[in-house]
Amino acid sequence: MLSSPLAARANDPAAADALFQAAKKLMGEKQFSEACPKFDASYKLDPTLGTLLNLADCYEKLGRTATAWSTWGEAMEKAQRDGDKRAEFARSRRDSLFPKLPKVVINVQNEVPGVDILWDQVKLAPAVFGVELPADPAEHDLLVLRDDGAKLKEERVRITQEGARTEITLDIEALDKANPRKVKPIEAPPPPPPSASKQRLAGFVIGGFGAAALITAGALEAVALAKRADAGASSACVNKFCTPDGLASIDSARTFAEAGQWIGLGGIVAAAVGVTLLLTAPPAAPSPRPATGAVVPRPMWLSPWAGPNGGGLVVGGAL
């Protein structure tokens, strides 16, 4: 992949010098807010002591007292490592800022596991609680964050005066109790599907009722036909004229026929439901092979029966 010859890269003295000269020009025009980022970018490309000293001076003129104090200290340490005489200059500039430093003290009481304190989006270590921390005169973000994402406290802390001391006290346990964790409801497991044996039993029973109803309907139709035949064979009805006994026989035949039709219709529906249950029942788990000499139960069986006085259905076997 080709890169542009103007693209900045680490250890690029030429690009670093261009940024440095642009920053110096902005400093002369007192445009400190634009000059500081250029000094910082120049130092990252070519970390020279001169650039770092100018960056610290820029932060100080911009009013970022704590950042300038820290940068002067970094420049002092770099000069000491390099054996540069400017180490004393950096030390004197750093020490002159110390009385002007605004300081923040964050006191933490009743700590709770899983709760963090962030200052300007940076997590604070417990070791800094109760310690004076240098802070730039500006607005700062304080956040108390729990491990479930709940923001127990969120506050903008404004620091304006040089040398001011701001103290913040946080009772973590009280904040945690004021924002109880949301308990996720436990969902009940879905009911288990009906077992194959129960569904088959229901199919046999309902189908048996249907078959019995069909047999009963057939028997009623047979009785109705017999009564009509009796009325026509005797002298009760001649040329569509019937005696009271003949009319009673015909009415009785009609009643038996209608009852047979309704019972037969119900039998068809019940038989269809029973067959559907039997066909859709899940396959039964294979039974263990019986031991030698063990009594094996007979499977379910269904047998209709009919007689001169009625009919029915016999269901037998074992599940």
Side-chain angles (χ1 to χ4, degrees):
M1 180 178 179
L2 299 178
S3 60
S4 168
L6 298 179
R9 58 187 183 276
N11 299 320
D12 189 343
D17 184 65
L19 287 166
F20 181 85
Q21 297 303 328
K24 289 289 287 184
K25 183 176 183 297
L26 291 169
M27 286 284 288
E29 298 170 355
K30 300 187 182 302
Q31 298 183 34
F32 307 121
S33 60
E34 297 180 20
C36 292
K38 293 188 183 299
F39 277 131
D40 184 52
S42 175
Y43 183 72
K44 290 176 180 176
L45 293 175
D46 187 17
T48 63
L49 179 60
T51 304
L52 190 59
L53 291 169
N54 277 274
L55 178 60
D57 183 56
C58 184
Y59 282 143
E60 185 174 346
K61 287 181 169 60
L62 185 61
R64 295 179 59 179
T65 315
T67 304
W69 179 79
S70 175
T71 307
W72 282 121
E74 184 181 350
M76 179 192 70
E77 293 174 357
K78 180 175 177 59
Q80 289 174 341
R81 288 194 303 269
D82 297 343
D84 195 298
K85 296 180 180 180
R86 288 175 288 182
E88 188 58 34
F89 171 75
R91 181 196 300 275
S92 63
R93 292 291 297 269
R94 186 196 66 170
D95 292 346
S96 67
L97 282 179
F98 188 77
K100 302 177 183 179
L101 282 178
K103 299 177 182 65
V104 176
V105 181
I106 300 177
N107 299 311
V108 177
Q109 301 174 352
N110 304 318
E111 295 185 49
V112 175
V115 178
D116 296 323
I117 300 170
L118 285 75
W119 179 261
D120 287 337
Q121 301 180 354
V122 177
K123 178 182 174 181
L124 299 181
V128 305
F129 297 159
V131 177
E132 289 186 343
L133 303 175
D136 286 329
E139 288 188 346
H140 299 270
D141 294 322
L142 174 67
L143 176 63
V144 181
L145 185 66
R146 196 166 55 199
D147 54 10
D148 62 351
K151 296 179 179 179
L152 306 185
K153 183 179 179 65
E154 193 172 15
E155 182 180 350
R156 297 276 287 179
V157 181
R158 186 175 180 83
I159 300 175
T160 56
Q161 296 181 354
E162 290 186 352
R165 185 178 188 274
T166 303
E167 191 164 352
I168 302 170
T169 301
L170 300 172
D171 188 334
I172 304 302
E173 184 178 6
L175 293 173
D176 185 58
K177 289 182 178 179
N179 298 271
R181 294 176 182 267
K182 295 181 180 180
V183 180
K184 187 176 181 180
I186 301 176
E187 298 181 358
S195 63
S197 60
K198 291 182 179 179
Q199 184 169 337
R200 284 196 176 91
L201 176 60
F204 279 119
V205 172
I206 296 175
F209 280 120
L214 290 174
I215 294 173
T216 303
L220 291 174
E221 289 292 341
V223 172
L225 291 174
K227 287 186 174 292
R228 287 195 186 96
D230 290 344
S234 64
S235 58
C237 292
V238 178
N239 295 329
K240 297 183 180 180
F241 291 98
C242 300
T243 63
D245 291 339
L247 291 174
S249 296
I250 292 175
D251 289 340
S252 178
R254 185 181 296 111
T255 301
F256 277 102
E258 290 178 354
Q261 291 173 0
W262 285 109
I263 293 175
L265 181 60
I268 292 173
V269 173
V273 172
V275 171
T276 302
L277 290 174
L278 290 173
L279 293 177
T280 59
S287 302
R289 188 172 182 177
T292 304
V295 178
V296 180
R298 293 180 58 193
M300 293 292 296
W301 52 271
L302 182 69
S303 177
W305 65 272
N309 297 321
L313 191 71
V314 178
V315 180
L319 294 177

